[in-house]
Protein backbone atom coordinates (compact mmCIF):
# COMPACT_ATOMS: atom_id res chain seq x y z
CA UNK A 1 0.00 0.00 0.00
CA UNK A 2 1.46 3.40 -0.98
CA UNK A 3 0.12 6.61 0.46
CA UNK A 4 1.80 9.36 -1.53
CA UNK A 5 0.31 12.43 0.18
CA UNK A 6 0.20 11.08 3.69
CA UNK A 7 3.63 12.24 4.74
CA UNK A 8 2.71 15.73 3.59
CA UNK A 9 -0.42 16.07 5.67
CA UNK A 10 0.08 15.58 9.40
CA UNK A 11 -3.69 15.59 9.96
CA UNK A 12 -4.05 12.44 7.88
CA UNK A 13 -1.19 10.85 9.83
CA UNK A 14 -3.00 11.63 13.09
CA UNK A 15 -6.17 10.03 11.75
CA UNK A 16 -4.32 6.87 10.76
CA UNK A 17 -2.64 6.73 14.18
CA UNK A 18 -6.00 7.03 15.92
CA UNK A 19 -8.14 4.84 13.66
CA UNK A 20 -5.78 2.50 11.82
CA UNK A 21 -7.53 0.59 9.05
CA UNK A 22 -10.89 2.10 10.06
CA UNK A 23 -10.01 5.16 7.95
CA UNK A 24 -9.27 5.19 4.21
CA UNK A 25 -6.72 7.68 2.94
CA UNK A 26 -5.79 8.65 -0.64
CA UNK A 27 -3.70 5.81 -2.03
CA UNK A 28 -5.38 3.14 0.11
CA UNK A 29 -7.11 0.30 -1.69
CA UNK A 30 -10.80 1.12 -1.77
CA UNK A 31 -10.40 4.87 -1.18
CA UNK A 32 -11.61 5.85 -4.64
CA UNK A 33 -14.65 3.57 -4.48
CA UNK A 34 -15.52 4.79 -0.97
CA UNK A 35 -15.43 8.48 -1.90
CA UNK A 36 -17.85 8.08 -4.85
CA UNK A 37 -21.42 9.21 -4.20
CA UNK A 38 -24.62 7.84 -5.77
CA UNK A 39 -24.64 10.90 -8.01
CA UNK A 40 -21.41 10.07 -9.82
CA UNK A 41 -21.40 13.45 -11.59
CA UNK A 42 -19.64 14.73 -8.44
CA UNK A 43 -16.00 13.86 -7.88
CA UNK A 44 -15.71 14.14 -4.08
CA UNK A 45 -12.12 14.53 -2.86
CA UNK A 46 -12.09 14.43 0.95
CA UNK A 47 -8.90 14.07 2.98
CA UNK A 48 -10.16 10.70 4.23
CA UNK A 49 -13.19 8.43 4.21
CA UNK A 50 -14.48 6.67 7.32
CA UNK A 51 -16.96 3.81 7.08
CA UNK A 52 -18.25 3.23 10.61
CA UNK A 53 -20.29 0.10 11.30
CA UNK A 54 -21.48 0.96 14.82
CA UNK A 55 -22.41 4.03 16.84
CA UNK A 56 -19.16 3.54 18.81
CA UNK A 57 -17.20 3.69 15.54
CA UNK A 58 -18.91 6.99 14.77
CA UNK A 59 -17.89 8.40 18.16
CA UNK A 60 -14.28 7.31 17.56
CA UNK A 61 -14.23 8.89 14.08
CA UNK A 62 -15.66 12.20 15.30
CA UNK A 63 -13.17 12.39 18.20
CA UNK A 64 -10.21 11.53 15.95
CA UNK A 65 -11.22 13.98 13.22
CA UNK A 66 -11.76 16.85 15.67
CA UNK A 67 -8.46 16.08 17.44
CA UNK A 68 -6.72 16.23 14.05
CA UNK A 69 -8.29 19.63 13.31
CA UNK A 70 -10.52 18.32 10.52
CA UNK A 71 -14.16 18.86 9.60
CA UNK A 72 -16.71 16.10 8.98
CA UNK A 73 -19.33 15.48 6.28
CA UNK A 74 -21.84 12.71 7.03
CA UNK A 75 -23.20 10.95 3.95
CA UNK A 76 -25.48 7.92 3.62
CA UNK A 77 -25.78 7.35 -0.14
CA UNK A 78 -24.62 10.52 -1.88
CA UNK A 79 -27.96 11.13 -3.61
CA UNK A 80 -27.48 14.77 -2.55
CA UNK A 81 -23.78 14.98 -3.44
CA UNK A 82 -24.60 17.90 -5.73
CA UNK A 83 -25.77 19.94 -2.76
CA UNK A 84 -22.49 19.25 -0.94
CA UNK A 85 -20.43 20.16 -4.00
CA UNK A 86 -20.04 23.78 -2.89
CA UNK A 87 -17.88 22.70 0.05
CA UNK A 88 -14.16 22.23 -0.52
CA UNK A 89 -13.41 18.84 1.03
CA UNK A 90 -9.62 19.11 1.43
CA UNK A 91 -9.91 19.31 5.22
CA UNK A 92 -13.03 17.15 5.50
CA UNK A 93 -13.43 13.53 6.57
CA UNK A 94 -16.29 12.03 4.58
CA UNK A 95 -18.17 9.73 6.95
CA UNK A 96 -19.94 7.20 4.74
CA UNK A 97 -22.73 5.58 6.73
CA UNK A 98 -23.36 2.87 4.15
CA UNK A 99 -22.25 0.21 6.67
CA UNK A 100 -24.75 1.30 9.32
CA UNK A 101 -28.00 -0.09 7.96
CA UNK A 102 -31.04 -1.84 9.36
CA UNK A 103 -34.55 -1.19 10.63
CA UNK A 104 -36.54 -2.66 13.52
CA UNK A 105 -40.31 -2.20 13.57
CA UNK A 106 -42.55 -1.99 16.64
CA UNK A 107 -45.88 -3.08 15.14
CA UNK A 108 -47.88 -2.08 18.23
CA UNK A 109 -46.52 1.46 18.48
CA UNK A 110 -46.36 1.62 14.64
CA UNK A 111 -42.84 2.99 14.72
CA UNK A 112 -39.49 2.02 13.22
CA UNK A 113 -36.01 2.47 14.65
CA UNK A 114 -33.74 2.91 11.67
CA UNK A 115 -29.91 2.98 11.62
CA UNK A 116 -28.28 6.15 10.23
CA UNK A 117 -27.15 4.82 6.84
CA UNK A 118 -30.36 2.93 6.02
CA UNK A 119 -32.21 3.25 2.76
CA UNK A 120 -35.99 3.26 2.39
CA UNK A 121 -35.98 -0.30 1.06
CA UNK A 122 -34.63 -1.43 4.47
CA UNK A 123 -37.62 0.16 6.23
CA UNK A 124 -40.18 -1.12 3.74
CA UNK A 125 -38.85 -4.66 4.05
CA UNK A 126 -39.16 -4.54 7.85
CA UNK A 127 -42.55 -2.77 7.88
CA UNK A 128 -44.45 -4.64 5.14
CA UNK A 129 -44.97 -7.91 7.08
CA UNK A 130 -46.91 -5.87 9.67
CA UNK A 131 -49.10 -4.11 7.09
CA UNK A 132 -47.17 -0.90 7.73
CA UNK A 133 -45.29 1.50 5.50
CA UNK A 134 -43.47 4.83 5.75
CA UNK A 135 -43.57 8.28 4.16
CA UNK A 136 -40.75 7.30 1.77
CA UNK A 137 -39.91 9.03 -1.48
CA UNK A 138 -40.13 7.76 -5.01
CA UNK A 139 -36.86 5.76 -4.93
CA UNK A 140 -36.15 2.90 -2.52
CA UNK A 141 -32.39 3.48 -2.41
CA UNK A 142 -32.56 7.04 -1.05
CA UNK A 143 -31.23 7.43 2.50
CA UNK A 144 -33.83 7.63 5.29
CA UNK A 145 -31.96 10.26 7.37
CA UNK A 146 -31.01 12.68 4.55
CA UNK A 147 -34.56 12.51 3.17
CA UNK A 148 -36.47 12.63 6.46
CA UNK A 149 -34.47 15.39 8.17
CA UNK A 150 -34.68 17.73 5.16
CA UNK A 151 -38.42 17.37 4.51
CA UNK A 152 -39.24 14.32 2.46
CA UNK A 153 -41.93 14.44 -0.23
CA UNK A 154 -43.72 11.12 -0.64
CA UNK A 155 -46.66 9.94 -2.70
CA UNK A 156 -48.57 10.04 0.62
CA UNK A 157 -47.63 13.66 1.26
CA UNK A 158 -50.78 15.57 0.32
CA UNK A 159 -52.68 13.39 2.77
CA UNK A 160 -50.05 12.94 5.51
CA UNK A 161 -47.61 15.85 5.16
CA UNK A 162 -43.83 15.89 4.91
CA UNK A 163 -41.90 12.90 6.25
CA UNK A 164 -39.98 15.20 8.60
CA UNK A 165 -43.09 15.42 10.81
CA UNK A 166 -43.04 11.64 11.30
CA UNK A 167 -39.64 11.76 13.10
CA UNK A 168 -40.05 10.89 16.80
CA UNK A 169 -36.44 10.81 18.01
CA UNK A 170 -32.90 11.08 16.68
CA UNK A 171 -29.71 9.58 18.14
CA UNK A 172 -26.83 11.74 17.10
CA UNK A 173 -23.08 12.05 17.71
CA UNK A 174 -22.18 15.70 18.30
CA UNK A 175 -18.92 17.53 17.64
CA UNK A 176 -17.65 16.83 21.17
CA UNK A 177 -18.12 13.10 20.60
CA UNK A 178 -21.20 12.84 22.84
CA UNK A 179 -23.87 10.38 21.70
CA UNK A 180 -27.23 11.92 22.63
CA UNK A 181 -30.89 11.11 22.04
CA UNK A 182 -32.93 14.10 20.93
CA UNK A 183 -36.71 14.00 21.17
CA UNK A 184 -39.54 16.20 22.44
CA UNK A 185 -38.43 15.42 26.01
CA UNK A 186 -34.65 15.09 25.60
CA UNK A 187 -32.55 17.93 24.13
CA UNK A 188 -35.72 19.50 22.66
CA UNK A 189 -33.84 22.42 21.03
CA UNK A 190 -31.51 20.02 19.24
CA UNK A 191 -34.48 17.85 18.22
CA UNK A 192 -36.16 20.92 16.73
CA UNK A 193 -32.98 21.90 14.87
CA UNK A 194 -32.24 18.43 13.49
CA UNK A 195 -35.68 18.37 11.85
CA UNK A 196 -34.57 20.68 9.02
CA UNK A 197 -30.91 21.22 9.94
CA UNK A 198 -30.11 17.52 9.37
CA UNK A 199 -26.37 16.77 8.99
CA UNK A 200 -25.33 20.29 10.01
CA UNK A 201 -25.63 19.29 13.67
CA UNK A 202 -23.97 15.89 13.94
CA UNK A 203 -23.90 12.34 12.66
CA UNK A 204 -27.22 10.58 13.07
CA UNK A 205 -26.68 6.97 14.11
CA UNK A 206 -30.37 6.12 14.33
CA UNK A 207 -33.76 7.71 13.90
CA UNK A 208 -37.22 6.76 15.11
CA UNK A 209 -40.16 7.25 12.77
CA UNK A 210 -43.92 6.90 12.87
CA UNK A 211 -45.22 4.40 10.34
CA UNK A 212 -48.45 4.33 8.40
CA UNK A 213 -50.98 1.48 8.58
CA UNK A 214 -51.15 0.89 4.82
CA UNK A 215 -50.80 -2.72 3.64
CA UNK A 216 -51.95 -1.81 0.12
CA UNK A 217 -52.09 1.36 -1.91
CA UNK A 218 -53.87 2.28 -5.14
CA UNK A 219 -50.97 3.54 -7.25
CA UNK A 220 -49.31 3.30 -10.63
CA UNK A 221 -48.59 5.23 -13.80
CA UNK A 222 -50.22 6.25 -17.06
CA UNK A 223 -47.92 6.62 -20.07
CA UNK A 224 -48.34 8.20 -23.51
CA UNK A 225 -46.05 9.18 -26.36
CA UNK A 226 -44.72 12.74 -25.82
CA UNK A 227 -46.63 13.86 -28.92
CA UNK A 228 -49.65 13.83 -26.54
CA UNK A 229 -47.89 16.09 -23.99
CA UNK A 230 -50.12 19.16 -24.45
CA UNK A 231 -53.47 17.40 -23.93
CA UNK A 232 -52.18 15.12 -21.15
CA UNK A 233 -50.61 18.06 -19.30
CA UNK A 234 -53.79 20.13 -19.55
CA UNK A 235 -55.83 17.15 -18.27
CA UNK A 236 -53.41 16.54 -15.37
CA UNK A 237 -53.50 20.23 -14.40
CA UNK A 238 -57.31 20.09 -14.33
CA UNK A 239 -57.15 16.80 -12.37
CA UNK A 240 -54.87 18.36 -9.72
CA UNK A 241 -56.98 21.52 -9.37
CA UNK A 242 -59.91 19.36 -8.28
CA UNK A 243 -58.01 16.48 -6.64
CA UNK A 244 -58.70 15.60 -2.99
CA UNK A 245 -55.74 15.52 -0.57
CA UNK A 246 -55.78 11.73 -0.87
CA UNK A 247 -54.22 12.02 -4.36
CA UNK A 248 -50.51 12.83 -4.72
CA UNK A 249 -49.32 12.63 -8.32
CA UNK A 250 -46.63 13.89 -10.67
CA UNK A 251 -46.54 14.75 -14.37
CA UNK A 252 -43.35 14.22 -16.34
CA UNK A 253 -41.97 14.45 -19.84
CA UNK A 254 -39.06 12.02 -20.26
CA UNK A 255 -36.59 11.32 -23.06
CA UNK A 256 -35.01 7.87 -22.93
CA UNK A 257 -32.02 7.10 -25.15
CA UNK A 258 -32.08 3.77 -27.00
CA UNK A 259 -30.60 1.32 -24.48
CA UNK A 260 -30.70 -2.49 -24.52
CA UNK A 261 -31.28 -2.60 -20.73
CA UNK A 262 -34.52 -0.62 -21.02
CA UNK A 263 -37.87 -2.29 -21.79
CA UNK A 264 -39.06 -1.54 -25.36
CA UNK A 265 -41.83 0.81 -24.19
CA UNK A 266 -39.10 3.10 -22.74
CA UNK A 267 -36.01 2.56 -24.93
CA UNK A 268 -35.45 5.42 -27.38
CA UNK A 269 -38.84 6.94 -26.51
CA UNK A 270 -40.08 10.47 -25.72
CA UNK A 271 -42.89 10.05 -23.20
CA UNK A 272 -45.37 11.87 -21.03
CA UNK A 273 -46.21 10.10 -17.76
CA UNK A 274 -48.58 10.66 -14.83
CA UNK A 275 -47.86 8.63 -11.70
CA UNK A 276 -48.54 8.59 -7.99
CA UNK A 277 -50.88 7.22 -5.34
CA UNK A 278 -54.53 7.75 -4.49
CA UNK A 279 -55.57 6.84 -0.93
CA UNK A 280 -59.18 6.02 -1.74
CA UNK A 281 -61.20 2.86 -2.27
CA UNK A 282 -60.40 1.17 -5.59
CA UNK A 283 -63.69 2.47 -7.03
CA UNK A 284 -63.10 5.99 -5.69
CA UNK A 285 -59.58 6.10 -7.12
CA UNK A 286 -60.76 4.78 -10.49
CA UNK A 287 -63.46 7.46 -10.64
CA UNK A 288 -60.89 10.18 -9.99
CA UNK A 289 -58.64 8.82 -12.75
CA UNK A 290 -61.40 8.67 -15.38
CA UNK A 291 -60.53 11.95 -17.17
CA UNK A 292 -56.89 10.86 -17.54
CA UNK A 293 -57.74 7.31 -18.56
CA UNK A 294 -60.13 8.76 -21.16
CA UNK A 295 -57.03 9.96 -23.02
CA UNK A 296 -56.18 6.32 -23.82
CA UNK A 297 -52.75 5.80 -22.20
CA UNK A 298 -50.47 3.30 -23.91
CA UNK A 299 -49.56 1.85 -20.49
CA UNK A 300 -51.80 1.97 -17.40
CA UNK A 301 -50.51 0.32 -14.22
CA UNK A 302 -52.80 2.10 -11.71
CA UNK A 303 -54.21 -0.62 -9.46
CA UNK A 304 -54.14 -1.72 -5.82
CA UNK A 305 -50.63 -2.93 -5.00
CA UNK A 306 -48.64 -3.89 -1.89
CA UNK A 307 -47.53 -0.61 -0.31
CA UNK A 308 -43.86 -1.62 -0.55
CA UNK A 309 -44.19 -1.70 -4.37
CA UNK A 310 -44.83 2.06 -4.45
CA UNK A 311 -41.07 2.64 -4.89
CA UNK A 312 -41.36 1.03 -8.34
CA UNK A 313 -43.91 3.35 -9.98
CA UNK A 314 -41.76 6.45 -10.60
CA UNK A 315 -39.17 4.72 -12.83
CA UNK A 316 -36.21 6.11 -10.85
CA UNK A 317 -32.77 4.93 -12.02
CA UNK A 318 -31.83 1.52 -10.56
CA UNK A 319 -28.31 2.60 -9.54
CA UNK A 320 -25.76 5.42 -9.40
CA UNK A 321 -26.45 8.05 -12.04
CA UNK A 322 -24.58 11.23 -13.04
CA UNK A 323 -27.18 13.99 -13.09
CA UNK A 324 -27.75 17.68 -12.47
CA UNK A 325 -31.11 18.92 -11.26
CA UNK A 326 -32.86 22.14 -10.23
CA UNK A 327 -36.28 23.01 -8.91
CA UNK A 328 -38.65 25.82 -8.00
CA UNK A 329 -41.88 25.86 -6.02
CA UNK A 330 -44.92 27.32 -7.78
CA UNK A 331 -47.92 29.08 -6.25
CA UNK A 332 -50.29 27.69 -8.88
CA UNK A 333 -50.48 26.19 -12.34
CA UNK A 334 -52.52 28.38 -14.67
CA UNK A 335 -52.89 27.43 -18.32
CA UNK A 336 -49.88 29.46 -19.46
CA UNK A 337 -47.68 27.64 -16.92
CA UNK A 338 -48.92 24.32 -18.31
CA UNK A 339 -48.00 25.48 -21.85
CA UNK A 340 -44.56 26.50 -20.60
CA UNK A 341 -44.09 23.05 -19.04
CA UNK A 342 -44.89 21.39 -22.37
CA UNK A 343 -42.61 23.76 -24.27
CA UNK A 344 -39.64 23.08 -21.95
CA UNK A 345 -40.30 19.38 -21.61
CA UNK A 346 -40.55 18.65 -25.31
CA UNK A 347 -37.52 20.77 -26.31
CA UNK A 348 -34.12 19.02 -26.49
CA UNK A 349 -31.65 19.27 -23.57
CA UNK A 350 -33.41 17.85 -20.50
CA UNK A 351 -33.79 14.19 -19.59
CA UNK A 352 -36.82 14.81 -17.37
CA UNK A 353 -39.09 17.82 -16.82
CA UNK A 354 -41.38 17.16 -13.88
CA UNK A 355 -44.24 18.75 -11.99
CA UNK A 356 -45.07 17.39 -8.54
CA UNK A 357 -48.41 18.27 -7.01
CA UNK A 358 -47.89 19.82 -3.55
CA UNK A 359 -50.55 21.55 -1.44
CA UNK A 360 -52.83 19.73 1.00
CA UNK A 361 -51.05 18.59 4.16
CA UNK A 362 -47.65 19.44 2.61
CA UNK A 363 -48.54 23.10 3.01
CA UNK A 364 -49.85 23.01 6.59
CA UNK A 365 -47.21 23.74 9.27
CA UNK A 366 -47.11 21.05 11.99
CA UNK A 367 -47.87 22.45 15.43
CA UNK A 368 -45.13 20.72 17.43
CA UNK A 369 -42.76 20.13 14.52
CA UNK A 370 -39.15 21.10 13.94
CA UNK A 371 -37.41 23.85 12.01
CA UNK A 372 -39.01 22.73 8.73
CA UNK A 373 -42.54 21.32 8.75
CA UNK A 374 -44.18 22.35 5.47
CA UNK A 375 -43.64 23.69 1.95
CA UNK A 376 -45.77 26.70 1.16
CA UNK A 377 -46.63 26.11 -2.49
CA UNK A 378 -48.95 24.16 -4.79
CA UNK A 379 -46.56 22.57 -7.30
CA UNK A 380 -42.87 21.79 -7.64
CA UNK A 381 -41.19 22.16 -11.04
CA UNK A 382 -38.10 19.98 -11.38
CA UNK A 383 -35.61 19.69 -14.23
CA UNK A 384 -33.09 16.86 -14.60
CA UNK A 385 -30.24 16.46 -17.10
CA UNK A 386 -27.88 13.49 -17.32
CA UNK A 387 -24.11 14.17 -17.38
CA UNK A 388 -22.68 11.19 -19.28
CA UNK A 389 -19.16 12.67 -19.33
CA UNK A 390 -17.72 15.50 -17.20
CA UNK A 391 -17.44 17.73 -20.29
CA UNK A 392 -21.25 17.70 -20.55
CA UNK A 393 -21.70 19.34 -17.13
CA UNK A 394 -21.72 22.96 -18.30
CA UNK A 395 -24.39 22.30 -20.90
CA UNK A 396 -26.45 20.20 -18.46
CA UNK A 397 -26.27 22.93 -15.79
CA UNK A 398 -27.41 25.52 -18.31
CA UNK A 399 -30.31 23.29 -19.40
CA UNK A 400 -31.66 22.64 -15.87
CA UNK A 401 -31.33 26.30 -14.89
CA UNK A 402 -32.98 27.58 -18.08
CA UNK A 403 -35.79 25.08 -17.52
CA UNK A 404 -36.67 26.35 -14.06
CA UNK A 405 -36.06 30.00 -14.99
CA UNK A 406 -38.94 29.66 -17.42
CA UNK A 407 -41.27 29.08 -14.43
CA UNK A 408 -40.32 32.43 -12.82
CA UNK A 409 -43.73 34.08 -13.27
CA UNK A 410 -45.36 31.45 -11.03
CA UNK A 411 -42.49 30.92 -8.58
CA UNK A 412 -42.94 31.55 -4.84
CA UNK A 413 -40.34 32.04 -2.07
CA UNK A 414 -40.25 28.40 -0.98
CA UNK A 415 -37.96 25.42 -1.53
CA UNK A 416 -38.12 21.68 -1.03
CA UNK A 417 -34.76 21.17 0.70
CA UNK A 418 -34.58 17.53 -0.41
CA UNK A 419 -34.69 18.73 -4.02
CA UNK A 420 -31.91 21.30 -3.59
CA UNK A 421 -29.10 19.77 -5.57
CA UNK A 422 -26.59 22.49 -6.35
CA UNK A 423 -24.07 24.47 -4.34
CA UNK A 424 -25.30 27.89 -5.43
CA UNK A 425 -28.91 27.61 -4.24
CA UNK A 426 -29.91 30.02 -1.45
CA UNK A 427 -31.37 27.65 1.19
CA UNK A 428 -32.94 30.47 3.22
CA UNK A 429 -36.25 30.02 1.36
CA UNK A 430 -36.25 26.41 2.55
CA UNK A 431 -35.55 27.29 6.21
CA UNK A 432 -37.75 30.41 6.28
CA UNK A 433 -38.09 32.12 9.65
CA UNK A 434 -36.38 29.17 11.38
CA UNK A 435 -32.95 30.17 10.08
CA UNK A 436 -32.04 32.53 12.95
CA UNK A 437 -32.77 29.97 15.66
CA UNK A 438 -31.06 27.22 13.64
CA UNK A 439 -27.89 29.35 13.57
CA UNK A 440 -28.06 29.98 17.33
CA UNK A 441 -28.36 26.25 18.05
CA UNK A 442 -25.57 25.45 15.56
CA UNK A 443 -23.32 27.96 17.37
CA UNK A 444 -24.14 26.28 20.70
CA UNK A 445 -23.66 22.62 19.72
CA UNK A 446 -21.04 22.95 16.97
CA UNK A 447 -19.25 26.25 17.69
CA UNK A 448 -16.24 25.39 15.51
CA UNK A 449 -18.32 24.38 12.49
CA UNK A 450 -17.08 20.79 12.47
CA UNK A 451 -20.04 19.40 10.53
CA UNK A 452 -20.49 20.30 6.89
CA UNK A 453 -23.84 19.39 5.41
CA UNK A 454 -25.67 19.31 2.11
CA UNK A 455 -27.78 22.19 3.43
CA UNK A 456 -25.67 24.46 5.64
CA UNK A 457 -27.55 26.61 8.15
C1 LIG B 1 -33.40 9.25 -7.77
C2 LIG B 1 -33.81 10.19 -6.69
C3 LIG B 1 -35.11 10.19 -6.24
C4 LIG B 1 -35.51 11.08 -5.22
N1 LIG B 1 -36.82 11.10 -4.83
C5 LIG B 1 -37.20 11.97 -3.86
C6 LIG B 1 -38.57 12.05 -3.45
O1 LIG B 1 -39.43 11.34 -3.95
N2 LIG B 1 -38.89 12.94 -2.49
C7 LIG B 1 -37.95 13.75 -1.89
O2 LIG B 1 -38.30 14.53 -1.00
N3 LIG B 1 -36.66 13.68 -2.25
C8 LIG B 1 -36.28 12.84 -3.24
N4 LIG B 1 -34.97 12.80 -3.63
C9 LIG B 1 -34.02 13.71 -2.98
C10 LIG B 1 -33.42 13.04 -1.73
O3 LIG B 1 -34.39 12.95 -0.74
C11 LIG B 1 -32.26 13.88 -1.22
O4 LIG B 1 -31.22 13.84 -2.16
C12 LIG B 1 -31.76 13.38 0.13
O5 LIG B 1 -30.88 14.31 0.68
C13 LIG B 1 -31.07 12.04 -0.02
O6 LIG B 1 -30.64 11.60 1.21
P1 LIG B 1 -29.42 10.58 1.26
O7 LIG B 1 -29.11 10.36 2.68
O8 LIG B 1 -29.72 9.43 0.38
O9 LIG B 1 -28.30 11.46 0.53
P2 LIG B 1 -26.85 11.85 1.04
O10 LIG B 1 -26.25 12.64 -0.09
O11 LIG B 1 -26.13 10.68 1.54
O12 LIG B 1 -27.14 12.79 2.26
C14 LIG B 1 -27.65 14.09 2.07
C15 LIG B 1 -27.34 14.90 3.31
O13 LIG B 1 -28.12 14.39 4.38
C16 LIG B 1 -27.37 14.43 5.58
N5 LIG B 1 -27.24 13.06 6.09
C17 LIG B 1 -27.52 11.90 5.47
N6 LIG B 1 -27.37 10.88 6.33
C18 LIG B 1 -26.96 11.41 7.50
C19 LIG B 1 -26.66 10.89 8.79
N7 LIG B 1 -26.76 9.59 9.07
N8 LIG B 1 -26.28 11.76 9.75
C20 LIG B 1 -26.23 13.09 9.52
N9 LIG B 1 -26.52 13.63 8.34
C21 LIG B 1 -26.90 12.80 7.34
C22 LIG B 1 -26.02 15.04 5.24
O14 LIG B 1 -26.07 16.44 5.50
C23 LIG B 1 -25.90 14.80 3.77
O15 LIG B 1 -25.08 15.77 3.11
C24 LIG B 1 -34.57 11.96 -4.65
C25 LIG B 1 -33.25 11.95 -5.11
C26 LIG B 1 -32.86 11.09 -6.14
C27 LIG B 1 -31.47 11.17 -6.65
Amino acid sequence: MTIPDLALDPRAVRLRDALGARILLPGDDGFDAARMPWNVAFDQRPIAVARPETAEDVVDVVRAAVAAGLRIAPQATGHAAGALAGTALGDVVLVSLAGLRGAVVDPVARTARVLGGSQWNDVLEAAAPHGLTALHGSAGDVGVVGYSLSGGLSFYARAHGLAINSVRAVQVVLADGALVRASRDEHPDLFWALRGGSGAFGIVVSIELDLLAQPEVFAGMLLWDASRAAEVSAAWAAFTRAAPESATTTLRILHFPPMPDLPPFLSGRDLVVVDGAILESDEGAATLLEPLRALGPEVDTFAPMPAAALVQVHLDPPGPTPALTAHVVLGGLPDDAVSKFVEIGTAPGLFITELRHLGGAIRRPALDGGAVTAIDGEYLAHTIAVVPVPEAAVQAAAAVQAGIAAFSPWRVDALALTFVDGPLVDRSHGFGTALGRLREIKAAVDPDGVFVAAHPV
Side-chain angles (χ1 to χ4, degrees):
M1 183 167 64
T2 52
I3 306 172
D5 294 332
L6 194 51
L8 302 177
D9 197 324
R11 298 169 302 179
V13 176
R14 290 189 70 178
L15 276 184
R16 168 107 318 141
D17 287 348
L19 297 168
R22 289 193 289 166
I23 199 92
L24 288 169
L25 299 172
D28 285 351
D29 288 345
F31 175 80
D32 283 328
R35 70 183 176 83
M36 286 311 288
W38 183 93
N39 189 341
V40 286
F42 295 95
D43 185 21
Q44 304 183 134
R45 295 197 174 264
I47 190 169
V49 182
R51 292 185 299 179
E53 292 179 1
T54 64
E56 293 71 32
D57 284 346
V58 174
V59 171
D60 292 347
V61 168
V62 169
R63 292 206 163 123
V66 171
L70 295 166
R71 299 185 296 153
I72 297 167
Q75 192 168 73
T77 67
H79 275 80
L84 191 62
T87 305
L89 299 182
D91 66 341
V92 170
V93 179
L94 182 72
V95 179
S96 162
L97 295 147
L100 197 64
R101 283 175 65 180
V104 176
V105 166
D106 179 337
V108 178
R110 290 185 186 162
T111 56
R113 182 169 179 274
V114 183
L115 296 182
S118 304
Q119 303 175 7
W120 280 115
N121 284 329
D122 303 328
V123 179
L124 297 183
E125 197 179 309
H130 306 287
L132 299 170
T133 193
L135 299 179
H136 61 84
S138 60
D141 65 353
V142 161
V144 175
V145 170
Y147 170 97
S148 300
L149 292 184
S150 287
L153 269 173
S154 72
F155 281 136
Y156 301 111
R158 281 174 38 80
H160 294 288
L162 295 180
I164 201 164
N165 300 317
S166 72
V167 176
R168 289 289 152 256
V170 182
Q171 270 203 301
V172 59
V173 178
L174 302 176
D176 62 2
L179 172 58
V180 303
R181 186 172 189 277
S183 68
R184 282 200 180 93
D185 307 322
E186 304 146 282
H187 304 280
D189 283 351
L190 178 63
F191 184 52
W192 177 88
L194 283 162
R195 288 176 294 159
S198 186
F201 289 86
I203 301 185
V204 175
V205 294
S206 69
I207 189 169
E208 289 162 42
L209 305 167
D210 281 340
L211 298 175
L212 210 59
Q214 186 86 40
E216 275 199 342
V217 59
F218 192 98
M221 69 155 174
L222 307 171
L223 176 151
W224 300 258
D225 189 84
S227 57
R228 308 281 304 279
E231 57 184 315
V232 171
S233 301
W236 181 79
F239 165 85
T240 57
R241 285 176 204 131
E245 293 186 2
S246 55
T248 305
T249 57
T250 76
L251 167 71
R252 298 191 294 162
I253 298 174
L254 307 97
H255 306 279
F256 285 101
M259 284 171 67
D261 291 349
L262 288 173
F265 72 95
L266 299 180
S267 181
R269 299 281 314 273
D270 300 321
L271 300 165
V272 57
V273 173
V274 171
D275 62 11
I278 304 179
L279 310 184
E280 299 282 351
S281 66
D282 298 354
E283 297 73 26
T287 304
L288 284 171
L289 282 175
E290 266 167 22
L292 291 164
R293 283 179 157 160
L295 298 177
E298 191 182 308
V299 177
D300 176 354
T301 65
F302 266 101
M305 61 176 69
L310 186 55
V311 287
Q312 308 297 335
V313 306
H314 199 59
L315 303 174
D316 281 307
T321 304
L324 293 183
T325 79
H327 87 280
V328 284
V329 174
L330 311 179
L333 195 66
D335 292 344
D336 45 355
V338 179
S339 303
K340 188 56 78 178
F341 169 78
V342 175
E343 182 190 318
I344 298 160
T346 51
L350 293 169
F351 171 40
I352 299 174
T353 310
E354 174 176 72
L355 289 170
R356 289 196 179 207
H357 190 197
L358 306 181
I362 298 168
R363 209 169 174 170
R364 287 195 287 275
L367 286 180
D368 53 357
V372 171
T373 66
I375 300 171
D376 192 10
E378 283 298 314
Y379 296 85
L380 184 151
H382 190 205
T383 51
I384 303 171
V386 174
V387 188
V389 290
E391 297 71 38
V394 171
Q395 203 179 348
V400 296
Q401 291 304 333
I404 56 156
F407 287 103
S408 297
W410 309 284
R411 178 181 186 160
V412 292
D413 286 344
L415 277 179
L417 285 172
T418 48
F419 281 71
V420 172
D421 195 28
L424 302 176
V425 180
D426 174 6
R427 271 78 164 169
S428 60
H429 294 309
F431 293 122
T433 55
L435 193 54
R437 189 173 163 210
L438 276 170
R439 286 181 173 154
E440 283 169 21
I441 297 172
K442 171 83 173 171
V445 298
D446 183 14
D448 298 323
V450 166
F451 291 105
V452 297
H455 308 301
V457 299

